[in-house]
Amino acid sequence: MKGERKTMIKSKMKWVGLVGLVLSAFSLFVHFLLARFTEEGVTDYQSSVTIFSWRPVFENPDFAKNSPSYRRLWGPVRRLESLHPDANPRGYYTELDNVVLFIRMFSFVVPYFIQSMNNTKVVVSNFNMHTTDPRSESSGYVFVRIQGGFHEIRNSICDVVVISRLLNATLVIPEIQSTTRSKGISSQFKSFAYLYNEDNFMAALVKDVKVVKTLPQNLKDARRLKKIPSFRVPNSASPYFYLHHVLPVLNKHVVVELVVSDGGCLQAILPPQLEEYQRLRCRVAFHALRFRQEVQELATKMLQRLRAPGQPFIAFDPGLTRDALAYYGCAELFQHLIVLCLGALPKDVHSELIQHKRAWMKKRGIVKGKLSVNSAEQRLNGSCPLMPEEVGILLRAYGYPWDTILYVSGGEVFGGQRTLTPLHAMFENIVDRTSLSAAWELNRIYGREVNLVDTKLRAPPSVVQEKKHVVWKNEGPRPRPLPPPPARPKYPYNIEGWWGWVAESDNEPESTVMELRTNAHKLLWEAIDYLICVEADVFIPGFDRDGKGRPNFASLVMGHRLYQAAASKTFQPNRREVVKLLEENREHLYQANHTWLTSTRGHLRRSLIDGVIRASTESKPLSFLSHPVPECSCLRYDHTKKSLHVSSPSTPAPVEAALGVMHHCPKWMDSGIKTKSKDKEIEDDPDEDIFSSSGLFFRNSGGNHESGGGELIKEESQLDDQEELEGAD
């Protein structure tokens, strides 16, 4: 009996165990299904819960879109509404067959001939841009390797297309060095196709330039053996350089390789006779260069999530890169601005990192000035970026409320969250690409990548390093920012500290494989930021120069917005005037009076026009894409308007004349003009509708503000919307 009982108990236990195993397997199966469903379905549908770390909070969700305040904050710039994009060919390409003949027969007179192109007309053939394909007889192949960041690559691609057309050569799809040289990145997406759509690029330029994906096999083998001529072209080279130096070599060897490393290989402003080549640049930048499909789709999703609350949004590009701060000598911006003015500048880690970079740039000839520069003077001269806090003050002074959606772009914000904290205190709804997308969405655009394992042994710090560590700690008072820049410590100095390499050598530690991969990913991050900034309702830059003194990412965005929709609100504040305004009211910035608000709002309003005109003389000579006007724009008059406005009392001519835009739009474009509705006709000009009662600032008090950043208050004196009329300044 006992044996039978034991047998029954054992059999029951086996059944219980078997049932448990089945239930466990079923549970795991259900969990896998839920995980997959959550990633693909629920996340997309309930994005505000599972993706967003941001939940929009609005004080007044219903905007009165016909109100003067709304038109002032978000409405179009009326004086730029007549400008429209027109990159289509207006005539014929400049035929250079006779020029090539002169080069072959009379090479000694070519310099004088090319120089005379500015004053004389060049022979033009009957080559019709609208109906005729590029000439069938090619001079050879142009293979290009481009090194640099996002804005440098974009500038360079447009230049090499124009150069290929100038030389009547076949262009091989450019190679983007920042991706192909990085180890460990996706093998699925390399070179040009890692960032841009190759097929669209080739199809869009079929009537301009012959474009192929690769060299023929024999030339590919010759390049592998380094038997083809190579040119490291200078920045902003003239057409003469390519016609006199590159073209003869191309005719002799059938192929040349161009290495572009300075963000542009053709001068920004070409002679008037080559105006069609300028429009070719616009066709490349704004029509042929489309990002990879996965990047486009993710950016579209993020834009939909941004606009889901039904509110317009502002895009802000800080421009706070370490290279730019070092180039212009803005090392002490991260300390309190009052300390800057007093001249008491205790060194902190930010200053040391920037100064170390400036010394490195000076050693290599990038920086020509002194090593130590007075950052306070640079800031007063307008040579330093506006800090995020200062941009926040300007936007609040203009009337944007605390619940405005503010998208912060940029691959690097030097100083990290510490720098952005004051901006967070002024605006509740601050977002970036990480808060608008899930990690798996970003990982999807990288492609398949190998797992990286760091097998290098980390040597312990030497005795000398330990002593330097102690000296650094006891040197004196200095702030310890959290989180410290850069975001990731440089190997192998992360045992002693991320700052340790500053005192060790002139050269910074070599980038790890993971850092090289991250640098390649930055191209995709900036592509997403670029698309969102171009489509934003309002855009404002903190700085418009990079670490080489040339127009940066924000300048390309402003140029694209000027081309695509000139009337969109793009603030381009004059930094020198802004700093003066801030210094005038330094002690009462958050309790600003009526007079200061009037001056600040007036400056921002004028910057919508004056900034565009200023860019035509400051940015365009360095980068055509930062100001593609007048070559790529046309005038389309609205006959319902009585007259065109002027930008300011100092510029009596119309804005269009000041920008040099005199070409009228084609008839098919003019036919699209329709009579405005009566409501639109009687609408006041938003440029004449300046002050509203939304002059909101914050002050520290134990209020009920959700973010804990302070309680928002209104100015005691209500500001009238009609106070700042056009020309009242």
Side-chain angles (χ1 to χ4, degrees):
M1 294 292 292
K2 290 183 178 179
E4 292 180 357
R5 284 184 179 179
K6 288 182 179 179
T7 304
M8 291 178 63
I9 291 173
K10 287 182 178 180
S11 63
K12 289 181 179 179
M13 291 178 65
K14 289 180 179 179
W15 280 106
V16 171
L18 182 61
V19 171
L21 287 174
V22 172
L23 290 175
S24 299
F26 180 75
S27 176
L28 287 173
F29 179 72
V30 171
H31 276 81
F32 280 123
L33 285 180
L34 286 175
R36 183 176 180 182
F37 174 75
T38 301
E39 179 182 1
E40 297 295 336
V42 175
T43 304
D44 287 339
Y45 182 73
Q46 297 179 347
S47 58
S48 61
V49 177
T50 57
I51 290 180
F52 285 22
S53 59
W54 157 69
R55 293 180 179 229
V57 180
F58 296 110
E59 188 178 41
N60 297 313
D62 295 328
F63 275 91
K65 295 189 177 181
N66 293 327
S67 67
S69 299
Y70 184 90
R71 296 200 308 273
R72 176 174 60 84
L73 296 177
W74 306 105
V77 182
R78 291 287 182 85
R79 284 169 285 165
L80 293 174
E81 281 188 329
S82 59
L83 288 183
H84 290 269
D86 183 18
N88 291 325
R90 296 175 190 163
Y92 305 105
Y93 264 130
T94 301
E95 187 69 86
L96 294 175
D97 288 341
N98 292 336
V99 177
V100 174
L101 181 62
F102 285 148
I103 290 175
R104 291 173 177 172
M105 298 179 60
F106 307 104
S107 60
F108 63 95
V109 301
V110 170
Y112 305 99
F113 181 82
I114 298 299
Q115 291 174 4
S116 66
M117 289 172 63
N118 292 319
N119 301 319
T120 61
K121 292 185 178 180
V122 181
V123 179
V124 178
S125 73
N126 292 325
F127 177 69
N128 193 323
M129 286 285 300
H130 297 277
T131 58
T132 309
D133 292 338
R135 287 163 290 175
S136 57
E137 297 180 2
S138 173
S139 301
Y141 293 90
V142 174
F143 181 84
V144 187
R145 288 189 291 128
I146 301 174
Q147 304 169 354
F150 176 86
H151 65 282
E152 294 172 320
I153 290 172
R154 197 170 182 88
N155 275 322
S156 300
I157 291 174
C158 298
D159 288 351
V160 299
V161 171
V162 173
I163 291 167
S164 299
R165 178 66 214 185
L166 190 70
L167 301 178
N168 189 32
T170 299
L171 173 66
V172 182
I173 291 279
E175 183 179 277
I176 300 174
Q177 286 293 304
S178 59
T179 61
T180 55
R181 288 177 57 188
S182 301
K183 299 178 182 179
I185 69 165
S186 170
S187 59
Q188 182 179 358
F189 303 114
K190 284 187 177 181
S191 192
F192 190 89
Y194 184 79
L195 186 61
Y196 292 108
N197 187 321
E198 285 186 344
D199 294 332
N200 182 81
F201 182 76
M202 297 174 68
L205 299 176
V206 69
K207 291 188 178 181
D208 296 293
V209 180
K210 284 187 176 180
V211 183
V212 295
K213 290 190 176 182
T214 59
L215 286 167
Q217 189 59 45
N218 61 329
L219 297 179
K220 194 182 298 184
D221 296 337
R223 178 179 177 269
R224 189 179 298 110
L225 298 174
K226 299 182 179 180
K227 292 184 178 180
I228 66 173
S230 178
F231 290 87
R232 183 170 288 277
V233 296
N235 179 265
S236 301
S238 67
Y240 161 74
F241 171 82
Y242 295 99
L243 294 174
H244 187 58
H245 295 283
V246 179
L247 184 58
V249 177
L250 178 64
N251 289 329
K252 181 179 180 181
H253 296 274
V254 190
V255 61
V256 294
E257 180 178 358
L258 304 181
V259 181
V260 184
S261 59
D262 289 329
C265 50
L266 184 65
Q267 65 186 50
I269 301 178
L270 297 175
Q273 292 79 13
L274 300 180
E275 187 177 6
E276 286 299 338
Y277 290 87
Q278 297 288 58
R279 275 188 284 282
L280 175 57
R281 274 172 161 163
C282 292
R283 290 196 292 280
V284 177
F286 308 132
H287 300 280
L289 281 181
R290 289 187 181 177
F291 297 109
R292 211 176 72 217
Q293 183 179 356
E294 295 86 349
V295 177
Q296 291 276 164
E297 290 175 353
L298 180 55
T300 302
K301 284 184 180 179
M302 293 170 63
L303 276 169
Q304 291 172 351
R305 292 164 186 169
L306 265 172
R307 298 193 185 279
Q311 309 292 346
F313 72 94
I314 301 174
F316 164 52
D317 183 71
L320 283 174
T321 63
R322 184 177 167 215
D323 290 350
L325 293 166
Y327 183 87
Y328 287 98
C330 307
E332 288 87 12
L333 282 184
F334 294 89
Q335 301 176 62
H336 200 279
L337 296 179
I338 295 179
V339 178
L340 274 174
C341 297
L342 295 175
L345 302 174
K347 290 289 183 181
D348 68 343
V349 289
H350 295 97
S351 304
E352 290 181 359
L353 287 169
I354 295 171
Q355 283 297 95
H356 187 275
K357 187 68 175 182
R358 184 173 174 84
W360 181 89
M361 297 169 76
K362 182 174 175 58
K363 185 177 180 181
R364 285 154 181 79
I366 301 174
V367 173
K368 303 297 182 182
K370 299 179 181 178
L371 177 60
S372 297
V373 181
N374 190 326
S375 297
E377 292 183 359
Q378 289 292 92
R379 177 174 170 271
L380 291 174
N381 291 334
S383 300
C384 291
L386 294 175
M387 296 299 287
E389 178 185 12
E390 298 171 332
V391 173
I393 291 172
L394 292 178
L395 293 175
R396 294 301 303 275
Y398 195 72
Y400 292 101
W402 64 274
D403 56 356
T404 300
I405 301 174
L406 187 64
Y407 181 88
V408 179
S409 73
E412 173 192 2
V413 179
F414 189 72
Q417 290 300 316
R418 171 199 177 191
T419 308
L420 295 173
T421 297
L423 191 64
H424 279 273
M426 284 181 262
F427 290 96
E428 178 74 18
N429 299 320
I430 291 186
V431 294
D432 59 11
R433 62 177 172 273
T434 60
S435 58
L436 288 171
S437 61
W440 64 266
E441 289 181 305
L442 290 172
N443 290 334
R444 180 175 291 177
I445 66 175
Y446 304 150
R448 296 177 180 271
E449 294 181 328
V450 297
N451 294 326
L452 299 179
V453 179
D454 195 354
T455 58
K456 294 182 180 179
L457 297 177
R458 299 176 180 178
S462 64
V463 177
V464 176
Q465 291 173 340
E466 291 178 356
K467 288 182 179 180
K468 288 182 178 180
H469 189 181
V470 175
V471 171
W472 185 89
K473 279 187 173 181
N474 301 328
E475 186 180 9
R478 67 179 77 193
R480 301 293 202 277
L482 292 175
R488 301 174 315 283
K490 285 279 189 179
Y491 171 87
Y493 297 87
N494 51 356
I495 293 179
E496 180 179 329
W498 61 270
W499 42 264
W501 52 265
V502 172
E504 292 299 318
S505 66
D506 293 335
N507 296 322
E508 299 183 12
E510 294 183 0
S511 298
T512 63
V513 177
M514 198 65 187
E515 287 174 334
L516 290 174
R517 175 185 286 186
T518 303
N519 288 336
H521 293 171
K522 284 180 180 178
L523 291 178
L524 304 179
W525 299 345
E526 293 193 37
I528 293 172
D529 288 341
Y530 184 85
L531 290 172
I532 293 178
C533 289
V534 168
E535 297 295 330
D537 299 280
V538 174
F539 179 75
I540 183 169
F543 202 46
D544 58 356
R545 291 291 185 269
D546 63 6
K548 297 178 181 178
R550 304 189 185 105
N552 65 355
F553 172 91
S555 295
L556 289 192
V557 171
M558 290 187 287
H560 197 151
R561 289 170 65 88
L562 180 63
Y563 170 81
Q564 178 175 292
S568 60
K569 265 195 166 51
T570 304
F571 293 110
Q572 300 185 46
N574 186 319
R575 291 185 299 276
R576 180 181 297 181
E577 294 185 20
V578 168
V579 170
K580 288 181 180 179
L581 287 170
L582 294 173
E583 293 304 319
E584 288 175 1
N585 200 38
R586 171 59 55 192
E587 297 180 359
H588 305 285
L589 284 178
Y590 300 110
Q591 293 85 27
N593 57 39
H594 184 281
T595 304
W596 187 84
L597 286 176
T598 303
S599 301
T600 304
R601 294 184 179 186
H603 172 73
L604 282 180
R605 178 182 58 82
R606 290 190 300 272
S607 76
L608 296 170
I609 298 296
D610 292 344
V612 174
I613 298 175
R614 187 171 62 250
S616 65
T617 58
E618 295 180 0
S619 296
K620 185 171 182 175
L622 302 175
S623 170
F624 175 75
L625 297 186
S626 66
H627 190 83
V629 174
E631 295 89 343
C632 300
S633 296
C634 62
L635 288 178
R636 194 173 77 172
Y637 286 108
D638 184 353
H639 301 289
T640 61
K641 291 185 179 181
K642 294 181 180 179
S643 63
L644 294 173
H645 297 281
V646 296
S647 60
S648 67
S650 60
T651 55
V655 175
E656 292 82 357
L659 296 176
V661 183
M662 294 299 183
H663 180 78
H664 291 279
C665 293
K667 292 183 179 180
W668 65 266
M669 198 178 291
D670 285 332
S671 62
I673 299 179
K674 296 190 178 178
T675 307
K676 298 181 179 180
S677 63
K678 294 182 179 179
D679 293 337
K680 190 73 175 176
E681 289 178 1
I682 63 174
E683 225 177 50
D684 291 332
D685 192 328
D687 287 332
E688 298 177 352
D689 174 26
I690 296 302
F691 275 124
S692 70
S693 59
S694 58
L696 302 175
F697 284 86
F698 66 88
R699 64 183 177 189
N700 291 327
S701 62
N704 298 323
H705 192 266
E706 293 180 6
S707 65
E711 181 184 359
L712 296 171
I713 61 169
K714 289 189 177 182
E715 285 289 322
E716 293 181 0
S717 59
Q718 297 296 323
L719 301 177
D720 184 14
D721 275 323
Q722 298 298 328
E723 185 174 19
E724 197 175 282
L725 297 176
E726 180 66 34
D729 300 320

